[in-house]
Amino acid sequence: MPVVYPRVARRMADIAPFHVMELLARAQQLAATGRSIIHMEVGEPDFSTAAPIVAAGRQALAEGRTGYTSACGLPALREAIAANYARRHGVDVDPGCIVVTPGASGALLLAAGVLMNPGERCLLADPTYPCNRHFLRFCEGEAVGIPVGADTAFQLTPELVDQHWDAQTRAVMLASPANPTGTLVPPAVMQGIREIVRAHGGALIVDEIYHGLVYDEPAVTALAGGDDVFVVNSFSKYYGMTGWRLGWLVAPPPCVRDVEKLMQNLLIAAPTPAQYAALAAFTPEAEAIFEERRLAFRQRRDFLVPALRAIGFEVPVMPQGAFYVYADASRFTDDSYSFCFRVLEETGVAITPGIDFGEYQAGRYVRFAYTTSLEALQDGVDRLQRFLH
Amino acid sequence: MPVVYPRVARRMADIAPFHVMELLARAQQLAATGRSIIHMEVGEPDFSTAAPIVAAGRQALAEGRTGYTSACGLPALREAIAANYARRHGVDVDPGCIVVTPGASGALLLAAGVLMNPGERCLLADPTYPCNRHFLRFCEGEAVGIPVGADTAFQLTPELVDQHWDAQTRAVMLASPANPTGTLVPPAVMQGIREIVRAHGGALIVDEIYHGLVYDEPAVTALAGGDDVFVVNSFSKYYGMTGWRLGWLVAPPPCVRDVEKLMQNLLIAAPTPAQYAALAAFTPEAEAIFEERRLAFRQRRDFLVPALRAIGFEVPVMPQGAFYVYADASRFTDDSYSFCFRVLEETGVAITPGIDFGEYQAGRYVRFAYTTSLEALQDGVDRLQRFLH
């Protein structure tokens, strides 16, 4: 009997690959021919994991900590995360509401799965982190991207949420600091949106994956406004643990049992060595390293934003967090995908096209990540200057 | 404004927690009061990870291997897995079709997500690994449990698949060796089912999570019959890496790109330290350890099955793999859930009730895991003997 390969589900037509991956593949080809490539496309800090965390991970392995933890994570880690909310943000979080996940990805999967019925809608900003749409689509929910621009710092507002809420709307997802724009949701806006969501009996999901990586004001968490919110966080960015795959979800108390059920069934538990390693993230030694790195990111931002503006990119809102600049390249192109490839071929500078983040004005925008050294950023800007002028 | 907590999605009513967790909680209470507990409920080998793997993990951390890998995993690991299929099973597998995942859980999530449209059905044996139903339900597919008993070694047959296939049926899921029964799908049965699935244009998913843990005959993989099958495997059981969260999915060639898209979006990548550590799983040193452990499991099985039969449990089919005995306790109870609690309270022996694995005759069956020492198994059987007689 001839082999018949299975067809795939309809959702796969709506789940896009990261376009930047094609560009990255081309960058690797160019690098293989000896070309010098400057990576300003990567959403991963260039620092490797801080030494105290690595040491704790190695120690845990030496002690044979290789079995499963309980589904919600090591009690000591859940308590350490809660203690950190209290100590650094003055917010009281029940450790019992913290579920440790394989990366923030795991947390986003759980939040979408616990909340979304098929056909129900979740409002989110366009542009946004591309996977957000796909977690929703995966469980047959619908992501409704609301076009946002510089006038609202690329964030939703209470007015926008109210205006777009309909009978099918179930949830709102915010990100602060946001990828790709690096902007924050001001506390008053957060509170306004929270009240609208409450009035509609909906759910609020706040992506705080870049929490702590802010440069102009203290980091605020949505948990400060109450426990009726799903907060997604990560050890990847501020804590520099990308490859370990560790994050967490703070769930509203009545939803914790359901989140735990999903965690047990879909993921079993987060990686054990990573959980033991992360216990060292809350030590003064580790925190000093994070602070030093935060200042380095700030210095890069403070160089990059004016430098990009000087060569003709418009950066309408100063990014206040994460490590991204979302730059309007409309002086050079209205097809930023082709533009990114041209820039790569001609200059060796790799940047991410706007279409990876949504549809609204995506052809005008590109994202620069300052996840490389100040020297490399300077070199990249010089190359762009020569190419564009 | 008063706080209104969000309600959860309908799927949560269909996704069950592991019932054994309640029992485990009670076992921990008893242990805290000083009671001696014998754990025969845990699906995790009692051996910690083999020293060569731990050493490789520690080495990777020392070398700063803490960043993301590409979505499908380290090329060297995908090649090592493919080489292992060739060397140990004589089967040619394209490394490009192997996607490294966070545990077999990640692989099951990807397979379900890539294949199932809402309302479509996947046939699987009842009893089965409980999460299988929930991965399907999560993406709005429907798990159809087909009652199977000792006459088919608790496995589906070509006849059963053909008989239950209807217009909504999209896939069949098999497990070999199976949890909770430890039985295998004989190659001829596998081939028969594969041909029926091909004839219907459906998809075949084979759970080989316990692959290699077989005691009476060589391990066979469904990949030997062709590449039109999704095969799920794990570093957790045979390779003893539970807490590291590492597994893999072998996908049919035309589906790989879609699996990769889902992996990128839902999970980013499997844990990096675990991937480097797993490279050491294919060395002669590590393989000698796995073989020694396999023989220890066989010795335990060879003790436990006759011992359980001698005290009145019926074990209608000799389990040939994994580390489970699915035992008929109908001489003692028709409510195995209460029975497990009574056994725990009276004897301190923890076992898993049948309802964790399905509905068919679930009240009659209990699962014993031989993931504890021969001495503990002997002690457990003695305690049961005194309690039951």
Side-chain angles (χ1 to χ4, degrees):
Chain A
M1 175 171 295
V3 170
V4 183
Y5 290 110
R7 65 183 156 76
V8 300
R10 289 187 293 273
R11 72 175 61 81
M12 295 313 302
D14 301 327
I15 294 181
F18 299 163
H19 296 96
V20 73
M21 287 297 170
E22 314 289 324
L23 191 116
L24 193 58
R26 180 64 187 143
Q28 283 162 350
Q29 281 178 351
L30 292 174
T33 69
R35 280 284 296 278
S36 147
I37 304 296
I38 297 181
H39 289 284
M40 299 172 72
E41 84 287 26
V42 184
E44 182 173 28
D46 52 328
F47 311 112
S48 73
T49 302
I53 298 176
V54 169
R58 297 189 75 225
Q59 180 66 22
L61 290 179
E63 290 168 1
R65 312 277 188 200
T66 59
Y68 296 124
T69 68
S70 62
C72 293
L74 283 178
L77 183 57
R78 300 166 76 192
E79 278 156 25
I81 293 167
N84 192 60
Y85 277 118
R87 185 169 53 90
R88 297 195 65 173
H89 306 288
V91 178
D92 198 29
V93 178
D94 179 356
C97 292
I98 297 171
V99 178
V100 178
T101 55
S105 300
L108 289 163
L109 184 72
L110 296 178
V114 160
L115 287 171
M116 302 302 293
N117 282 310
E120 286 183 343
R121 295 183 180 151
C122 178
L123 311 180
L124 66 187
D126 175 354
T128 190
Y129 175 55
C131 303
N132 288 340
R133 292 193 296 276
H134 300 140
F135 286 108
L136 296 163
R137 180 66 186 89
F138 188 74
C139 39
E140 299 296 326
E142 189 190 336
V144 178
I146 300 177
V148 289
D151 54 322
T152 67
F154 300 104
Q155 294 282 3
L156 297 182
T157 62
E159 296 69 33
L160 284 169
V161 169
D162 206 30
Q163 184 187 325
H164 285 83
W165 198 287
D166 66 12
Q168 266 55 59
T169 305
R170 176 85 185 83
V172 176
M173 191 181 290
L174 304 175
S176 182
N179 177 7
T181 59
T183 64
L184 308 179
V185 180
V189 171
M190 181 73 74
Q191 187 57 25
I193 292 175
R194 184 193 294 256
E195 284 175 14
I196 288 167
V197 171
R198 280 180 189 167
H200 287 292
L204 179 60
I205 305 168
V206 184
D207 158 358
E208 297 186 351
I209 292 172
Y210 295 91
H211 198 225
L213 280 179
V214 287
Y215 308 118
D216 303 313
E217 49 190 276
V220 175
T221 168
L223 294 163
D227 63 4
D228 59 333
V229 59
F230 287 82
V231 168
V232 173
N233 208 322
S234 176
F235 282 98
S236 292
K237 313 294 182 174
Y238 179 73
Y239 299 97
M241 293 182 68
T242 47
W244 302 74
R245 312 307 303 116
L246 200 67
W248 70 87
L249 178 65
V250 186
C255 303
V256 172
R257 187 75 190 98
D258 283 297
V259 171
E260 180 180 13
K261 270 199 315 189
L262 265 194
M263 183 71 202
Q264 278 181 357
N265 277 287
L266 298 190
L267 299 160
I268 300 187
T272 301
Q275 293 189 59
Y276 279 96
L279 288 170
F282 302 106
T283 56
E285 299 85 328
E287 286 176 354
I289 296 167
F290 306 145
E291 183 59 12
E292 194 179 290
R293 292 175 175 187
R294 188 183 69 84
L295 296 176
F297 279 127
R298 184 169 73 183
Q299 192 182 17
R300 294 174 185 180
R301 179 201 66 166
D302 291 345
F303 161 75
L304 186 61
V305 173
L308 290 175
R309 285 172 172 160
I311 61 173
F313 291 94
E314 204 186 320
V315 183
V317 188
M318 184 65 169
Q320 293 173 288
F323 32 62
Y324 305 117
V325 181
Y326 199 54
D328 184 340
S330 54
R331 185 164 154 195
F332 310 114
T333 187
D334 59 1
D335 173 3
S336 59
Y337 184 70
S338 313
F339 176 75
C340 287
F341 273 92
R342 225 160 54 234
V343 164
L344 176 64
E345 295 291 338
E346 299 295 327
T347 72
V349 175
I351 53 179
T352 304
I355 48 162
D356 260 346
F357 307 104
E359 294 175 9
Y360 180 64
Q361 299 190 330
R364 283 169 52 174
Y365 278 89
V366 296
R367 188 193 74 177
F368 292 83
Y370 41 96
T371 48
T372 187
S373 70
L374 207 50
E375 294 67 34
L377 295 177
Q378 176 74 66
D379 185 3
V381 170
D382 290 346
R383 294 187 195 187
L384 288 169
Q385 152 76 20
R386 284 193 298 273
F387 170 62
L388 296 169
H389 298 282
Chain B
M1 175 171 293
V3 170
V4 182
Y5 291 110
R7 65 185 156 74
V8 300
R10 289 187 292 273
R11 71 174 62 82
M12 295 313 303
D14 302 328
I15 294 182
F18 300 163
H19 295 96
V20 73
M21 287 297 169
E22 315 288 323
L23 191 116
L24 193 59
R26 180 64 187 143
Q28 282 161 352
Q29 283 178 348
L30 292 174
T33 69
R35 282 284 296 278
S36 145
I37 304 297
I38 296 180
H39 289 284
M40 298 172 73
E41 84 287 27
V42 184
E44 182 172 27
D46 52 328
F47 311 114
S48 72
T49 302
I53 297 176
V54 169
R58 297 189 76 223
Q59 179 66 22
L61 290 179
E63 290 168 1
R65 311 277 188 199
T66 59
Y68 296 125
T69 68
S70 61
C72 293
L74 283 177
L77 183 57
R78 300 166 77 191
E79 279 156 24
I81 294 168
N84 192 61
Y85 277 119
R87 186 169 52 91
R88 297 194 63 174
H89 306 288
V91 178
D92 198 29
V93 178
D94 179 355
C97 293
I98 298 170
V99 178
V100 178
T101 55
S105 300
L108 289 163
L109 184 73
L110 296 178
V114 159
L115 287 171
M116 303 301 294
N117 283 311
E120 288 182 341
R121 294 182 180 153
C122 178
L123 311 180
L124 67 186
D126 175 356
T128 191
Y129 176 55
C131 304
N132 287 340
R133 292 193 296 279
H134 299 141
F135 285 110
L136 296 163
R137 180 65 185 88
F138 188 75
C139 39
E140 299 296 325
E142 188 188 337
V144 178
I146 301 177
V148 290
D151 55 322
T152 66
F154 300 103
Q155 294 283 3
L156 297 182
T157 62
E159 295 69 32
L160 283 169
V161 169
D162 206 30
Q163 182 187 326
H164 286 83
W165 198 288
D166 66 13
Q168 267 55 58
T169 305
R170 175 86 185 84
V172 176
M173 191 182 291
L174 305 174
S176 182
N179 177 7
T181 59
T183 63
L184 308 179
V185 180
V189 171
M190 181 73 75
Q191 186 57 24
I193 292 175
R194 184 192 293 256
E195 283 175 14
I196 288 167
V197 171
R198 280 180 189 168
H200 287 292
L204 179 61
I205 305 169
V206 184
D207 158 357
E208 297 186 352
I209 292 171
Y210 294 91
H211 198 226
L213 279 179
V214 287
Y215 308 117
D216 303 312
E217 49 190 276
V220 175
T221 167
L223 294 163
D227 63 3
D228 59 335
V229 61
F230 287 82
V231 167
V232 173
N233 208 320
S234 176
F235 282 98
S236 292
K237 312 295 183 176
Y238 179 73
Y239 299 97
M241 293 182 68
T242 49
W244 302 74
R245 312 307 302 117
L246 200 67
W248 70 87
L249 179 65
V250 186
C255 303
V256 172
R257 186 75 189 99
D258 283 297
V259 170
E260 180 180 13
K261 272 200 313 190
L262 264 194
M263 184 70 202
Q264 277 181 357
N265 277 287
L266 298 190
L267 299 161
I268 300 188
T272 301
Q275 293 190 59
Y276 279 96
L279 288 170
F282 302 107
T283 56
E285 299 85 325
E287 286 177 352
I289 297 167
F290 305 146
E291 182 60 11
E292 195 179 290
R293 292 177 174 186
R294 188 182 69 84
L295 296 176
F297 279 127
R298 183 168 73 182
Q299 194 183 15
R300 294 174 186 181
R301 179 201 66 166
D302 291 347
F303 161 75
L304 186 61
V305 173
L308 291 175
R309 285 172 173 160
I311 61 173
F313 291 95
E314 204 187 318
V315 183
V317 187
M318 185 66 168
Q320 292 174 290
F323 31 64
Y324 303 117
V325 181
Y326 200 55
D328 184 340
S330 54
R331 185 162 154 200
F332 309 114
T333 187
D334 59 1
D335 174 4
S336 60
Y337 183 69
S338 312
F339 176 76
C340 288
F341 274 91
R342 225 160 53 236
V343 163
L344 175 64
E345 295 291 337
E346 298 296 327
T347 72
V349 175
I351 53 179
T352 304
I355 49 162
D356 260 346
F357 309 104
E359 294 175 9
Y360 180 63
Q361 300 189 330
R364 285 169 51 174
Y365 278 89
V366 295
R367 188 192 74 176
F368 291 84
Y370 41 96
T371 47
T372 187
S373 71
L374 206 50
E375 295 67 34
L377 295 176
Q378 177 74 65
D379 185 2
V381 169
D382 291 347
R383 294 187 195 188
L384 288 169
Q385 152 77 19
R386 283 193 299 273
F387 170 62
L388 297 169
H389 299 282

